[in-house]
Amino acid sequence: MLGTELELRLLSYRDTSPLTGGQVDDEPYGGGAGMVLRVDVVAAALDAVYGKAPGHRVVALTPQGRQLDQPLVEELAGEENLTLLSARFEGFDERVVEHFATDTISIGPYVLSGGELPAMVVVDSIARRLPGALGSEESGVEESFSAELDGGLEYPHYTRPAEFRGWEVPEVLLSGNDARIADWRREQSRARTPS
Ligand SMILES: C[S@@+](CC[C@H](N)C(=O)[O-])C[C@H]1O[C@@H](n2cnc3c(N)ncnc32)[C@H](O)[C@@H]1O
């Protein structure tokens, strides 16, 4: 349990594998290098946890999935329950993706060694959208990719000192004029957001 909003359960396919010695993967049909995560192993893990088909979204983490972005994070943050499936080596037997996953998600157009880091990225991005996750040190409202900034990038921030080695904080931020500051921030956000 993390705070009051997030309960995480971490499971290893090895713990519920029906195969001897905790085997979870096998050689690819058709030949080639690498090992493939077996469909019966994933089925056993899901059965052990849910006993039946999970009644919620099951996400297979794969570079071939829908790219994670803030709208998708917001969507997932609205889910009561979520299952994330990770693989290693060559990835999943395709039947896992076809029959057990409701979604496939990629955290970016590059290949990592396993789904552990992608799973953590997904969990962290969701966790900070849950009620009470952010303290007063961080605003989750007006930030990059938020609707408040029309999906654009956040404006620059400055703090004390107002001048350092001749590098000055923009005068408008010291003006105390909230309307001017808001206008300046909007403008900066628009200027740094690729069109
Ligand atoms: C080495 S990768 C497999 C790559 C796969 N053979 C391919 O070419 O698309 C092993 C596992 O790491 C995870 N993974 C690697 N990169 C990822 C990414 N960008 N997004 C999400 N998961 C990723 C997935 O679970 C994947 O099955």
Side-chain angles (χ1 to χ4, degrees), residues 60-65 85-92 105-119:
L61 295 157
T62 162
Q64 298 149 33
L85 299 175
S86 297
R88 274 204 155 243
F89 308 117
E90 278 309 308
F92 299 100
I105 293 182
S106 164
I107 63 157
Y110 43 80
V111 179
L112 297 166
S113 309
E116 299 87 349
L117 289 173

Side-chain angles (χ1 to χ4, degrees), residues 25-47:
D25 47 19
D26 227 315
E27 294 161 359
Y29 281 124
M35 297 292 272
V36 177
L37 182 61
R38 288 176 55 135
V39 64
D40 52 351
V41 166
V42 175
L46 290 170
D47 281 351

Side-chain angles (χ1 to χ4, degrees), residues 150-167:
D150 302 323
L153 300 178
E154 198 184 35
Y155 42 80
H157 295 287
Y158 297 86
T159 187
R160 295 184 184 88
E163 189 269 344
F164 181 71
R165 295 184 182 168
W167 307 326

Side-chain angles (χ1 to χ4, degrees), residues 4-5 15 22-23 31 40 61 81 88 110 118 145 149 168 175 186:
T4 54
E5 299 294 331
D15 296 342
Q23 183 188 346
D40 52 351
L61 295 157
N81 296 289
R88 274 204 155 243
Y110 43 80
F145 317 115
L149 294 177
E168 292 183 352
S175 69
R186 282 255 142 199

Side-chain angles (χ1 to χ4, degrees), residues 41-116:
V41 166
V42 175
L46 290 170
D47 281 351
V49 178
Y50 301 111
K52 55 181 168 54
H56 56 258
R57 285 166 86 165
V58 175
V59 174
L61 295 157
T62 162
Q64 298 149 33
R66 172 179 169 189
Q67 201 136 318
L68 186 68
D69 57 13
Q70 198 61 33
L72 180 52
V73 169
E74 304 296 336
E75 195 182 306
L76 296 175
E79 299 288 337
E80 195 67 30
N81 296 289
L82 206 55
T83 295
L84 303 178
L85 299 175
S86 297
R88 274 204 155 243
F89 308 117
E90 278 309 308
F92 299 100
D93 181 305
E94 192 61 21
R95 290 168 291 184
V96 172
V97 175
E98 283 173 9
H99 300 288
F100 292 133
T102 57
D103 301 68
T104 55
I105 293 182
S106 164
I107 63 157
Y110 43 80
V111 179
L112 297 166
S113 309
E116 299 87 349

